[in-house]
Amino acid sequence: MNAKRILLLLLGPLFVAQACCAQDKKTDDPFIARPYLQIGRTPSPESLQLLWHAFDTGNDWVVEYQPKANAPWKKADTPTSVRVAVAGIEPHRVFQTALTGLIPGSKFSYRVVKAGKVVFTTEGQASKKTDQPYRFVAFADIGAETPAQKKLASQAYLAKPDFVVVPGDIVYERGLISEYRSRFWPIYNANQVDTSGAPLLRSVPMVVAPGNHDTDTRDLDKYPDALAYYYYWNQPLNGIAGTEGGPLVPSMTASADNRKAFTDAAGEAYLKMSNYSFDYGNSHWTVIDSNPYVDFTDKGLQDWITADLASAKDATWRFVMFHHPGFNSAREHYEQQHTRLLSPIFEAGKVDVVFTGHVHNYQRSYPLTFVPDKKGVLLVASMGAKMARGRVVNGRWTLDKAFNGTTNTRPKGIIYLVTGAGGQTLYNPEQNSDPDSWQRFTDKFYSNVHSFTVADVNGKTLSIRQIDVNGKEIDSFTVTK
Ligand SMILES: [Fe+2]
């Protein structure tokens, strides 16, 4: 008997034991992604959607919930599911049901039952209604599986937000199903709160915008599990829908089979969930796909944003969220200024704050108004390169330097925030202590620490704090009306 065989004989039982336990684990935890709350297609303070992912076997799920403590348990509608069966990934299902009749702003309990056995139980938080104060957390460029991302996930949870917004780059590198599984769900929906993550997604809804790492990869023949953004988020579909190859959406590369697998699973979310809007409390949110493949001079897009902001006439606050900042002082991505073209529309629509990411640090602009002098100049990477690297948009800005967020809280213009220090490697830490390198529109700039944004809205008062990964407040300001 050779040494290899002896080793196999000795280790054989161990392999069997491992196979047995892995199997048991799978049986005990039937989820690929544990239950998470979403605002849904038609958000309301009385309802939330509950989603989870599970293997492609068995439909014997039941969801029960208790709108308030000691109330009778209610049975949610029978969960529906969409099958995701793309090449290279074991088919799975995204399950969903609605939790209705919630009490605005109140905690509720819910549990998920499979085959008659409770497999998940927790508490959630219903959305706030117009006259209730609320808190939200914002961070972008997050799903990178870094220690900072994990710590910030815990901090965000401990900040007790009512909801979370992510201005893009949800998952690195390519927004793949496989990347969501290692870099996203286990961290933002962990069973415990510690430096590896927190049960954030099961407690409050997260609302996301598409970043370049989420929707840039459109070659489904090479990456069949790309564009998972369109499978997993249950958000409004009330915006402008582009057409492939048109001014808002680039063409996709996909065989007939790969395309069918994608569209069967994405449903209406593709192409509608790129631009959308919703109301939360007394605020209106406009979410835009800001990827450079979009033509921001497109009249249809501009008209939709204009109309959407005009429709928010009853909202006290108007917030806009997208990925690519127009007003960025970091060297990285400096030339990607294309979203500046939308500033006049935001100003006409009385936008208060624009939340962005993409640049992996924190920046706050002075309140400003901006007049682009033309549609901008496309830059390419180098001699002979054809791929556009960015669009430089020069123009005239007016800065409100009298606003300080403490004694003067009435900004003249829009405050543009970059909150892209949510987990991925920081950009340009060398500029942190080099104000000479900041553009004139930049008021605050922190590029040497990961951080996230906490915003409190109480009627006509908005208070924003930027908290670093060590829990230290690095910026704060208040806006009043
Ligand atoms: Fe990005």
Side-chain angles (χ1 to χ4, degrees):
M1 197 177 285
N2 63 29
K4 200 170 167 190
R5 282 202 67 188
I6 292 169
L7 194 65
L8 268 176
L9 275 173
L10 284 172
L11 294 180
L14 191 61
F15 289 142
V16 171
Q18 278 180 341
C20 130
C21 297
Q23 190 62 43
D24 284 346
K25 194 166 175 241
K26 191 169 167 179
T27 313
D28 283 337
D29 185 354
F31 302 109
I32 295 172
R34 296 185 194 112
Y36 58 104
L37 296 170
Q38 290 279 279
I39 57 170
R41 304 293 191 219
T42 51
S44 138
E46 285 93 26
S47 70
L48 287 170
Q49 301 292 313
L50 184 69
L51 282 74
W52 65 95
H53 309 172
F55 293 102
D56 193 22
T57 53
N59 244 342
D60 46 353
W61 296 92
V62 172
V63 171
E64 296 165 332
Y65 62 107
Q66 217 180 9
K68 64 177 178 186
N70 303 319
W73 286 86
K74 285 169 71 169
K75 197 167 157 181
D77 286 348
T78 303
T80 57
S81 71
V82 174
R83 189 166 186 257
V84 182
V86 300
I89 300 280
E90 185 183 346
H92 64 289
R93 285 180 182 272
V94 178
F95 286 89
Q96 180 186 347
T97 191
L99 307 176
T100 58
L102 302 177
I103 301 163
S106 292
K107 290 244 189 289
F108 58 90
S109 298
Y110 65 95
R111 62 192 181 200
V112 179
V113 179
K114 174 136 175 54
K117 184 179 160 202
V118 175
V119 289
F120 188 86
T121 180
T122 194
E123 269 194 345
Q125 156 89 40
S127 300
K128 297 285 177 70
K129 58 186 169 67
T130 316
D131 58 355
Q132 291 175 313
Y134 54 96
R135 169 176 292 179
F136 64 89
V137 152
F139 48 18
D141 308 85
I142 55 174
E145 217 179 341
T146 60
Q149 175 206 358
K150 294 171 185 177
K151 271 196 203 167
L152 287 179
S154 291
Q155 280 181 280
Y157 174 78
L158 294 170
K160 295 190 180 0
D162 295 301
F163 64 111
V164 178
V165 297
V166 178
D169 283 0
I170 309 158
V171 174
Y172 290 87
E173 277 293 314
R174 297 178 183 278
L176 308 179
I177 291 173
S178 52
E179 292 169 337
Y180 268 88
R181 289 184 182 176
S182 59
R183 306 184 146 195
F184 192 80
W185 306 119
I187 295 163
Y188 297 104
N189 210 0
N191 284 335
Q192 71 297 322
V193 195
D194 58 25
T195 52
S196 65
L200 186 60
L201 298 174
R202 70 188 64 179
S203 309
V204 294
M206 179 181 274
V207 188
V208 297
N212 52 307
H213 287 275
D214 303 304
T215 58
D216 240 4
T217 297
R218 284 169 189 266
D219 184 341
L220 297 185
D221 295 337
K222 213 167 169 186
Y223 300 101
D225 65 330
L227 296 176
Y229 174 81
Y230 295 104
Y231 303 146
Y232 295 154
W233 299 101
N234 197 257
Q235 308 182 133
L237 303 179
N238 59 355
I240 181 170
T243 51
E244 260 185 51
L248 308 185
V249 188
S251 298
M252 182 186 286
T253 303
S255 66
D257 283 352
N258 285 339
R259 175 177 285 274
K260 184 172 187 313
F262 169 68
T263 51
D264 282 356
E268 274 194 297
Y270 183 77
L271 297 150
K272 285 190 176 167
M273 209 181 57
S274 299
N275 302 284
Y276 64 92
S277 66
F278 65 96
D279 293 325
Y280 189 104
N282 65 358
S283 62
H284 180 78
W285 287 79
T286 308
V287 182
I288 297 169
D289 180 354
S290 66
N291 277 291
Y293 53 66
V294 176
D295 175 1
F296 291 91
T297 65
D298 180 66
K299 190 166 181 314
L301 176 63
Q302 294 198 348
D303 286 352
W304 175 73
I305 299 170
T306 302
D308 182 69
L309 291 170
S311 77
K313 56 185 188 311
D314 295 332
T316 306
W317 300 95
R318 287 170 199 77
F319 300 128
V320 173
M321 168 165 76
F322 52 79
H323 188 56
H324 300 71
F327 299 97
N328 158 40
S329 274
R331 295 187 176 101
E332 189 64 34
H333 296 321
Y334 175 72
E335 72 288 1
Q336 295 190 333
Q337 301 170 354
H338 47 277
T339 54
R340 288 184 186 183
L341 294 169
L342 299 177
S343 289
I345 297 172
F346 297 157
E347 291 158 23
K350 299 189 166 53
V351 169
D352 297 289
V353 180
V354 173
F355 294 89
T356 66
H358 194 44
V359 177
H360 305 163
N361 50 42
Y362 170 71
Q363 300 176 48
R364 163 155 66 105
S365 78
Y366 290 103
L368 66 86
T369 55
F370 181 73
V371 184
D373 60 9
K374 58 177 195 167
K375 70 184 252 187
V377 178
L378 271 179
L379 291 190
V380 294
S382 62
M383 181 89 79
K386 292 212 172 82
M387 197 68 160
R389 168 83 182 149
R391 185 179 285 275
V392 169
V393 181
N394 291 316
R396 226 167 353 100
W397 51 67
T398 305
L399 308 177
D400 176 10
K401 292 196 172 182
F403 172 85
N404 58 16
T406 51
T407 53
N408 179 342
T409 55
R410 306 241 168 163
K412 294 185 182 65
I414 297 171
I415 297 172
Y416 291 85
L417 290 186
V418 179
T419 184
Q424 187 52 289
T425 311
L426 294 169
Y427 283 163
N428 304 111
E430 81 284 359
Q431 284 182 264
N432 190 70
S433 311
D434 183 16
D436 270 2
S437 72
W438 308 347
Q439 301 299 308
R440 282 195 297 134
F441 50 72
T442 295
D443 186 3
K444 298 287 161 58
F445 186 104
Y446 290 93
S447 62
N448 63 353
V449 67
H450 286 93
S451 65
F452 72 113
T453 307
V454 182
D456 286 291
V457 182
N458 191 348
K460 293 185 171 181
T461 302
L462 164 69
S463 303
I464 291 189
R465 291 172 292 142
Q466 192 72 16
I467 311 291
D468 79 9
V469 72
N470 304 310
K472 185 180 156 212
E473 183 179 296
I474 56 176
D475 187 25
S476 71
F477 63 96
T478 297
V479 179
T480 57
K481 302 232 168 194

PDB file of all heavy atoms in Angstrom, residues 141 167-169 172 211-214 291 323-324 333 336 357-360 427, ligand 1:
ATOM      1  N   ASP A 141     -20.271  52.519  -3.138  1.00  0.00           N
ATOM      2  CA  ASP A 141     -19.020  51.825  -3.436  1.00  0.00           C
ATOM      3  C   ASP A 141     -18.702  50.837  -2.314  1.00  0.00           C
ATOM      4  O   ASP A 141     -17.641  50.902  -1.691  1.00  0.00           O
ATOM      5  CB  ASP A 141     -17.887  52.836  -3.653  1.00  0.00           C
ATOM      6  CG  ASP A 141     -18.280  53.880  -4.684  1.00  0.00           C
ATOM      7  OD1 ASP A 141     -18.917  54.872  -4.308  1.00  0.00           O
ATOM      8  OD2 ASP A 141     -18.000  53.670  -5.863  1.00  0.00           O
ATOM      9  N   PRO A 167     -25.864  55.029  -3.393  1.00  0.00           N
ATOM     10  CA  PRO A 167     -25.714  55.648  -4.711  1.00  0.00           C
ATOM     11  C   PRO A 167     -24.720  54.904  -5.623  1.00  0.00           C
ATOM     12  O   PRO A 167     -23.790  55.474  -6.168  1.00  0.00           O
ATOM     13  CB  PRO A 167     -25.211  57.064  -4.393  1.00  0.00           C
ATOM     14  CG  PRO A 167     -25.358  57.236  -2.921  1.00  0.00           C
ATOM     15  CD  PRO A 167     -25.278  55.859  -2.342  1.00  0.00           C
ATOM     16  N   GLY A 168     -24.927  53.643  -5.782  1.00  0.00           N
ATOM     17  CA  GLY A 168     -24.213  52.875  -6.808  1.00  0.00           C
ATOM     18  C   GLY A 168     -22.938  52.188  -6.385  1.00  0.00           C
ATOM     19  O   GLY A 168     -22.345  52.461  -5.347  1.00  0.00           O
ATOM     20  N   ASP A 169     -22.514  51.262  -7.238  1.00  0.00           N
ATOM     21  CA  ASP A 169     -21.436  50.323  -6.968  1.00  0.00           C
ATOM     22  C   ASP A 169     -21.773  49.514  -5.720  1.00  0.00           C
ATOM     23  O   ASP A 169     -21.097  49.577  -4.684  1.00  0.00           O
ATOM     24  CB  ASP A 169     -20.062  51.003  -6.892  1.00  0.00           C
ATOM     25  CG  ASP A 169     -19.533  51.329  -8.290  1.00  0.00           C
ATOM     26  OD1 ASP A 169     -20.238  51.030  -9.280  1.00  0.00           O
ATOM     27  OD2 ASP A 169     -18.421  51.880  -8.398  1.00  0.00           O
ATOM     28  N   TYR A 172     -18.862  44.690  -6.265  1.00  0.00           N
ATOM     29  CA  TYR A 172     -17.694  44.609  -7.159  1.00  0.00           C
ATOM     30  C   TYR A 172     -17.461  43.180  -7.576  1.00  0.00           C
ATOM     31  O   TYR A 172     -17.829  42.279  -6.834  1.00  0.00           O
ATOM     32  CB  TYR A 172     -16.452  45.141  -6.426  1.00  0.00           C
ATOM     33  CG  TYR A 172     -16.525  46.626  -6.223  1.00  0.00           C
ATOM     34  CD1 TYR A 172     -17.158  47.149  -5.119  1.00  0.00           C
ATOM     35  CD2 TYR A 172     -16.006  47.498  -7.180  1.00  0.00           C
ATOM     36  CE1 TYR A 172     -17.258  48.526  -4.960  1.00  0.00           C
ATOM     37  CE2 TYR A 172     -16.098  48.869  -7.007  1.00  0.00           C
ATOM     38  CZ  TYR A 172     -16.721  49.375  -5.901  1.00  0.00           C
ATOM     39  OH  TYR A 172     -16.821  50.733  -5.751  1.00  0.00           O
ATOM     40  N   GLY A 211     -24.552  51.683 -10.277  1.00  0.00           N
ATOM     41  CA  GLY A 211     -23.229  52.257 -10.540  1.00  0.00           C
ATOM     42  C   GLY A 211     -22.588  51.555 -11.727  1.00  0.00           C
ATOM     43  O   GLY A 211     -23.157  50.613 -12.288  1.00  0.00           O
ATOM     44  N   ASN A 212     -21.399  51.977 -12.065  1.00  0.00           N
ATOM     45  CA  ASN A 212     -20.731  51.356 -13.214  1.00  0.00           C
ATOM     46  C   ASN A 212     -20.417  49.888 -12.947  1.00  0.00           C
ATOM     47  O   ASN A 212     -20.531  49.055 -13.837  1.00  0.00           O
ATOM     48  CB  ASN A 212     -19.463  52.130 -13.596  1.00  0.00           C
ATOM     49  CG  ASN A 212     -18.531  52.359 -12.434  1.00  0.00           C
ATOM     50  OD1 ASN A 212     -18.944  52.867 -11.398  1.00  0.00           O
ATOM     51  ND2 ASN A 212     -17.267  52.010 -12.589  1.00  0.00           N
ATOM     52  N   HIS A 213     -20.070  49.570 -11.702  1.00  0.00           N
ATOM     53  CA  HIS A 213     -19.765  48.168 -11.418  1.00  0.00           C
ATOM     54  C   HIS A 213     -21.026  47.301 -11.364  1.00  0.00           C
ATOM     55  O   HIS A 213     -20.922  46.084 -11.335  1.00  0.00           O
ATOM     56  CB  HIS A 213     -18.971  48.048 -10.119  1.00  0.00           C
ATOM     57  CG  HIS A 213     -17.552  48.506 -10.272  1.00  0.00           C
ATOM     58  ND1 HIS A 213     -16.557  47.681 -10.738  1.00  0.00           N
ATOM     59  CD2 HIS A 213     -16.985  49.710 -10.074  1.00  0.00           C
ATOM     60  CE1 HIS A 213     -15.421  48.360 -10.801  1.00  0.00           C
ATOM     61  NE2 HIS A 213     -15.650  49.590 -10.403  1.00  0.00           N
ATOM     62  N   ASP A 214     -22.191  47.927 -11.339  1.00  0.00           N
ATOM     63  CA  ASP A 214     -23.437  47.164 -11.306  1.00  0.00           C
ATOM     64  C   ASP A 214     -23.986  46.879 -12.698  1.00  0.00           C
ATOM     65  O   ASP A 214     -24.567  45.818 -12.921  1.00  0.00           O
ATOM     66  CB  ASP A 214     -24.497  47.924 -10.492  1.00  0.00           C
ATOM     67  CG  ASP A 214     -24.016  48.216  -9.080  1.00  0.00           C
ATOM     68  OD1 ASP A 214     -23.645  47.251  -8.389  1.00  0.00           O
ATOM     69  OD2 ASP A 214     -23.989  49.399  -8.682  1.00  0.00           O
ATOM     70  N   ASN A 291     -24.472  56.427 -15.519  1.00  0.00           N
ATOM     71  CA  ASN A 291     -23.319  55.847 -16.213  1.00  0.00           C
ATOM     72  C   ASN A 291     -23.001  56.613 -17.490  1.00  0.00           C
ATOM     73  O   ASN A 291     -23.903  57.143 -18.146  1.00  0.00           O
ATOM     74  CB  ASN A 291     -23.604  54.367 -16.511  1.00  0.00           C
ATOM     75  CG  ASN A 291     -23.296  53.492 -15.309  1.00  0.00           C
ATOM     76  OD1 ASN A 291     -22.143  53.319 -14.947  1.00  0.00           O
ATOM     77  ND2 ASN A 291     -24.340  52.980 -14.668  1.00  0.00           N
ATOM     78  N   HIS A 323     -24.821  57.817  -9.255  1.00  0.00           N
ATOM     79  CA  HIS A 323     -23.483  57.335  -8.911  1.00  0.00           C
ATOM     80  C   HIS A 323     -22.350  58.327  -9.179  1.00  0.00           C
ATOM     81  O   HIS A 323     -21.485  58.546  -8.335  1.00  0.00           O
ATOM     82  CB  HIS A 323     -23.223  56.028  -9.663  1.00  0.00           C
ATOM     83  CG  HIS A 323     -21.961  55.336  -9.267  1.00  0.00           C
ATOM     84  ND1 HIS A 323     -21.689  54.973  -7.966  1.00  0.00           N
ATOM     85  CD2 HIS A 323     -20.881  54.940  -9.986  1.00  0.00           C
ATOM     86  CE1 HIS A 323     -20.505  54.378  -7.911  1.00  0.00           C
ATOM     87  NE2 HIS A 323     -19.987  54.358  -9.122  1.00  0.00           N
ATOM     88  N   HIS A 324     -22.333  58.931 -10.343  1.00  0.00           N
ATOM     89  CA  HIS A 324     -21.171  59.713 -10.791  1.00  0.00           C
ATOM     90  C   HIS A 324     -21.285  61.177 -10.391  1.00  0.00           C
ATOM     91  O   HIS A 324     -22.142  61.891 -10.917  1.00  0.00           O
ATOM     92  CB  HIS A 324     -21.027  59.617 -12.307  1.00  0.00           C
ATOM     93  CG  HIS A 324     -20.826  58.222 -12.809  1.00  0.00           C
ATOM     94  ND1 HIS A 324     -21.830  57.278 -12.806  1.00  0.00           N
ATOM     95  CD2 HIS A 324     -19.740  57.611 -13.326  1.00  0.00           C
ATOM     96  CE1 HIS A 324     -21.368  56.139 -13.295  1.00  0.00           C
ATOM     97  NE2 HIS A 324     -20.109  56.301 -13.620  1.00  0.00           N
ATOM     98  N   HIS A 333     -11.183  60.012 -11.403  1.00  0.00           N
ATOM     99  CA  HIS A 333     -12.496  60.276 -12.021  1.00  0.00           C
ATOM    100  C   HIS A 333     -12.793  61.769 -12.193  1.00  0.00           C
ATOM    101  O   HIS A 333     -13.940  62.140 -12.427  1.00  0.00           O
ATOM    102  CB  HIS A 333     -13.645  59.642 -11.214  1.00  0.00           C
ATOM    103  CG  HIS A 333     -13.601  58.145 -11.164  1.00  0.00           C
ATOM    104  ND1 HIS A 333     -13.238  57.366 -12.231  1.00  0.00           N
ATOM    105  CD2 HIS A 333     -13.891  57.280 -10.161  1.00  0.00           C
ATOM    106  CE1 HIS A 333     -13.303  56.085 -11.885  1.00  0.00           C
ATOM    107  NE2 HIS A 333     -13.682  56.008 -10.643  1.00  0.00           N
ATOM    108  N   GLN A 336     -14.739  62.836 -15.235  1.00  0.00           N
ATOM    109  CA  GLN A 336     -16.105  62.348 -15.470  1.00  0.00           C
ATOM    110  C   GLN A 336     -17.116  63.327 -14.889  1.00  0.00           C
ATOM    111  O   GLN A 336     -17.672  63.132 -13.822  1.00  0.00           O
ATOM    112  CB  GLN A 336     -16.284  60.953 -14.868  1.00  0.00           C
ATOM    113  CG  GLN A 336     -15.392  59.911 -15.560  1.00  0.00           C
ATOM    114  CD  GLN A 336     -15.725  58.488 -15.143  1.00  0.00           C
ATOM    115  OE1 GLN A 336     -16.226  58.253 -14.053  1.00  0.00           O
ATOM    116  NE2 GLN A 336     -15.438  57.538 -16.007  1.00  0.00           N
ATOM    117  N   GLY A 357     -21.599  58.757  -5.402  1.00  0.00           N
ATOM    118  CA  GLY A 357     -20.486  57.942  -4.924  1.00  0.00           C
ATOM    119  C   GLY A 357     -19.401  57.934  -5.982  1.00  0.00           C
ATOM    120  O   GLY A 357     -18.963  58.989  -6.419  1.00  0.00           O
ATOM    121  N   HIS A 358     -18.999  56.734  -6.399  1.00  0.00           N
ATOM    122  CA  HIS A 358     -18.045  56.530  -7.485  1.00  0.00           C
ATOM    123  C   HIS A 358     -16.619  56.899  -7.102  1.00  0.00           C
ATOM    124  O   HIS A 358     -15.685  56.166  -7.376  1.00  0.00           O
ATOM    125  CB  HIS A 358     -18.491  57.301  -8.737  1.00  0.00           C
ATOM    126  CG  HIS A 358     -17.796  56.912 -10.000  1.00  0.00           C
ATOM    127  ND1 HIS A 358     -17.562  55.586 -10.351  1.00  0.00           N
ATOM    128  CD2 HIS A 358     -17.280  57.651 -11.023  1.00  0.00           C
ATOM    129  CE1 HIS A 358     -16.936  55.549 -11.523  1.00  0.00           C
ATOM    130  NE2 HIS A 358     -16.750  56.771 -11.949  1.00  0.00           N
ATOM    131  N   VAL A 359     -16.471  58.068  -6.499  1.00  0.00           N
ATOM    132  CA  VAL A 359     -15.169  58.500  -6.016  1.00  0.00           C
ATOM    133  C   VAL A 359     -15.091  58.051  -4.559  1.00  0.00           C
ATOM    134  O   VAL A 359     -15.943  58.424  -3.747  1.00  0.00           O
ATOM    135  CB  VAL A 359     -15.013  60.021  -6.151  1.00  0.00           C
ATOM    136  CG1 VAL A 359     -13.682  60.470  -5.589  1.00  0.00           C
ATOM    137  CG2 VAL A 359     -15.157  60.423  -7.613  1.00  0.00           C
ATOM    138  N   HIS A 360     -14.059  57.255  -4.240  1.00  0.00           N
ATOM    139  CA  HIS A 360     -14.040  56.567  -2.950  1.00  0.00           C
ATOM    140  C   HIS A 360     -13.489  57.454  -1.838  1.00  0.00           C
ATOM    141  O   HIS A 360     -12.412  57.210  -1.296  1.00  0.00           O
ATOM    142  CB  HIS A 360     -13.223  55.275  -3.044  1.00  0.00           C
ATOM    143  CG  HIS A 360     -13.686  54.364  -4.125  1.00  0.00           C
ATOM    144  ND1 HIS A 360     -12.933  53.332  -4.631  1.00  0.00           N
ATOM    145  CD2 HIS A 360     -14.859  54.334  -4.811  1.00  0.00           C
ATOM    146  CE1 HIS A 360     -13.602  52.717  -5.576  1.00  0.00           C
ATOM    147  NE2 HIS A 360     -14.767  53.307  -5.712  1.00  0.00           N
ATOM    148  N   TYR A 427      -9.737  56.582  -2.524  1.00  0.00           N
ATOM    149  CA  TYR A 427      -9.073  57.312  -3.608  1.00  0.00           C
ATOM    150  C   TYR A 427      -8.354  58.548  -3.064  1.00  0.00           C
ATOM    151  O   TYR A 427      -8.905  59.296  -2.260  1.00  0.00           O
ATOM    152  CB  TYR A 427     -10.093  57.796  -4.636  1.00  0.00           C
ATOM    153  CG  TYR A 427     -10.608  56.758  -5.596  1.00  0.00           C
ATOM    154  CD1 TYR A 427     -11.774  57.003  -6.328  1.00  0.00           C
ATOM    155  CD2 TYR A 427      -9.954  55.550  -5.790  1.00  0.00           C
ATOM    156  CE1 TYR A 427     -12.261  56.073  -7.222  1.00  0.00           C
ATOM    157  CE2 TYR A 427     -10.447  54.610  -6.690  1.00  0.00           C
ATOM    158  CZ  TYR A 427     -11.601  54.877  -7.397  1.00  0.00           C
ATOM    159  OH  TYR A 427     -12.084  53.967  -8.281  1.00  0.00           O
TER     160      TYR A 427
HETATM  161 FE    FE B   1     -18.002  53.610  -9.552  1.00  0.00          FE
END
